[in-house]
Amino acid sequence: MRRLILDHALLPGGWASNVGIDVESGAIAAVHPEASPDGRERIAGITLPGLPNLHSHTFQRGMAGLAETRGPEGDSFWTWRQVMYRFLGSLTPDDVEAVAAFAMMEMLEGGFTALAEFHYLHHDAQGRPFGDIAELSGRIAAAAQETGMGLTLLPVFYAQGGFGGAAPTEGQRRFINDVESYARLLDGARREVAGLDDAVVGVAPHSLRAVLPESLGEVVAMAGEGPVHIHIAEQVKEVEDCLAWSGQRPVAWLLDHAPVDRRWCLIHATHLDPQEVKGIAASGAVAGLCPITEANLGDGIFEGVDHRAAGGRFGVGSDSNIEISAPGELKQFEYSQRLKHRARNVLAEREGQSTGRSLYETALTGGAQALGRRIGAIAEGHRADFVVLDADHPDLAAVSGDRWLDAYVFVAGRAAIDTVFVAGKPVVRNGRHVSRDTIRARYVQAMARILV
Ligand SMILES: [Zn+2]
């Protein structure tokens, strides 16, 4: 049992001081408001529940910055994807693990304490399954083990190159499975995470363009009660192709043809008509927003204001990992809406509410739901995952309460993070991961080889 006392903490009922926390087996066994410090380890600063990162492809951290040179014409998501296919062509299992560990380390330093890894890189460079079909899932699990990251692993089902069963391209050969080999992959992934603390495995049909309708049902059934994540309506071209294929827009098609409920997380959902906005909210599914990546890729702007007004749920993800920051994702989400609506404080729900707190708390709840774990609150029974902000940081020192969150999200960002706990253990101290030197050295070595 670890017994802590937190100077200041954001509890489900609001801000509290001198909060005693008993941690047992990685979870919060008891919360004691106004506890005595006797026999407790003091955590100075401002303790928040750690934010879940609901969408990432960790290997893409290695190509961050490699697609920022202008091409011959019309750079887009699709030209970025060509760079991505070239980059992943040479990755070995050791590279995948080294890059994943580096990305997870940065996520922990950046305020994320749990991750849903949307893992689609399965096979060797020639597209042949490894001896253990779940080899690369095992490498993701190993990176989570090394860094301490809480893991929801989502092996991706990817079967075709485009809508209506188009053949996969050469660039996609490392992703491809049929339903039968996917079932084996999923079993393997469940074995690979069995040794991790409190890990969950869900399913991820990649997108409507990569999965035929009949396989979608079979794959979703394999999730059981676990999470189901899918990329949807990220690009205008994807909406047009879906309309040409089915006569329906992607989200409308999905809501009509799949059992979308609170197990589901719809990644991006950028291009929505008003009916689709209402449909997502009514389904109980989480909108998985990745505002920094969506801006980097030029995807478009989510219908955030209407989605909030309809009572929709959301969480945030670092997706391509071009920049890793929990407060940064929330800031970019709010700023995208300010630019769209030419107004300020648009995602807070009522007069007098702090935008930082409103964004943070909604993303905690939505993220926890999407990851399928008891996380996202400093409350009994939840994992002891905390982000502790430095109360002496110049942007935080003279304020208190909700202003701390506004300063964290909009001003100081990840520079305000001092300590990060996962399952009651400190994995980041003074803003640095405890294994930073080793993980960084291995990453730099791998990248030097990959980028020759
Ligand atoms: Zn993605």
Side-chain angles (χ1 to χ4, degrees), residues 131-431:
D132 169 4
I133 192 168
E135 167 77 35
L136 295 182
S137 294
R139 298 311 188 112
I140 301 296
Q145 174 87 326
E146 181 178 19
T147 55
M149 177 61 85
L151 184 65
T152 295
L153 181 59
L154 303 167
V156 172
F157 179 67
Y158 200 121
Q160 61 186 42
F163 282 99
T169 65
E170 195 174 307
Q172 295 163 338
R173 61 187 170 182
R174 301 192 72 174
F175 320 153
I176 302 298
N177 281 290
D178 57 25
V179 172
E180 184 274 326
S181 66
Y182 181 73
R184 283 190 286 118
L185 171 66
L186 205 55
D187 281 347
R190 288 181 173 131
R191 266 196 310 279
E192 295 289 354
V193 307
L196 291 182
D197 187 29
D198 196 50
V200 163
V201 172
V203 304
H206 179 273
S207 55
L208 295 183
R209 64 177 191 269
V211 179
L212 287 169
E214 47 272 32
S215 323
L216 180 64
E218 291 178 75
V219 166
V220 170
M222 294 180 202
E225 286 306 299
V228 181
H229 289 216
I230 186 168
H231 287 133
I232 193 120
E234 178 177 9
Q235 283 285 317
V236 170
K237 178 177 183 302
E238 179 188 343
V239 176
E240 289 166 352
D241 290 352
C242 188
L243 275 165
W245 164 68
S246 70
Q248 281 186 293
R249 301 164 55 85
V251 169
W253 188 95
L254 190 74
L255 292 170
D256 273 1
H257 293 87
V260 179
D261 60 16
R262 49 178 293 119
R263 289 173 307 155
W264 286 66
C265 183
L266 309 190
I267 305 300
H268 306 302
T270 309
H271 301 286
L272 301 175
D273 70 17
Q275 280 310 109
E276 291 173 316
V277 170
K278 290 200 188 86
I280 292 178
S283 74
V286 174
L289 311 178
C290 308
I292 294 176
T293 294
E294 289 154 9
N296 178 269
L297 294 177
D299 287 339
I301 301 176
F302 179 69
E303 299 294 342
V305 169
D306 292 350
H307 174 78
R308 291 284 268 165
R313 300 153 193 231
F314 73 85
V316 291
S318 61
D319 194 2
S320 69
N321 298 309
I322 180 84
E323 179 189 344
I324 295 177
S325 167
E329 294 293 351
L330 298 174
K331 177 169 73 172
Q332 178 68 31
F333 180 31
E334 167 73 18
Y335 282 2
S336 70
Q337 303 300 310
R338 291 186 188 189
L339 289 164
K340 186 181 174 87
H341 296 278
R342 286 174 278 176
R344 303 190 69 253
N345 295 317
V346 285
L347 292 173
E349 287 173 299
R350 56 175 192 278
E351 184 181 347
Q353 189 181 39
S354 142
T355 303
R357 179 159 168 198
S358 174
L359 286 166
Y360 200 85
E361 287 190 322
T362 314
L364 279 175
T365 315
Q369 179 181 323
L371 267 63
R373 299 178 59 226
R374 284 199 85 186
I375 52 176
I378 303 177
E380 201 180 305
H382 288 69
R383 304 300 292 176
D385 296 352
F386 311 132
V387 170
V388 186
L389 307 181
D390 173 10
D392 296 326
H393 187 284
D395 295 320
L396 280 69
V399 296
S400 64
D402 291 350
R403 296 290 88 74
W404 281 325
L405 270 171
D406 288 332
Y408 176 48
V409 170
F410 293 105
V411 191
R414 52 180 286 169
I417 296 172
D418 181 64
T419 310
V420 176
F421 289 84
V422 180
K425 289 193 211 84
V427 294
V428 171
R429 286 187 185 279
N430 300 317

Side-chain angles (χ1 to χ4, degrees), residues 61-138:
R61 176 62 184 86
M63 58 166 288
L66 298 184
E68 307 301 328
T69 300
R70 186 167 172 155
E73 60 176 332
D75 283 15
S76 67
F77 169 86
W78 309 101
T79 56
W80 170 87
R81 195 175 71 159
Q82 289 309 319
V83 177
M84 188 258 286
Y85 287 174
R86 280 199 298 279
F87 173 76
L88 66 80
S90 66
L91 296 181
T92 66
D94 285 347
D95 297 336
V96 168
E97 186 174 336
V99 178
F102 188 77
M104 290 183 199
M105 174 184 81
E106 288 195 328
M107 289 171 194
L108 290 160
E109 291 177 346
F112 290 119
T113 48
L115 168 66
E117 174 68 0
F118 196 102
H119 172 63
Y120 62 86
L121 187 58
H122 301 306
H123 307 315
D124 74 12
Q126 279 68 49
R128 294 174 305 223
F130 289 103
D132 169 4
I133 192 168
E135 167 77 35
L136 295 182
S137 294

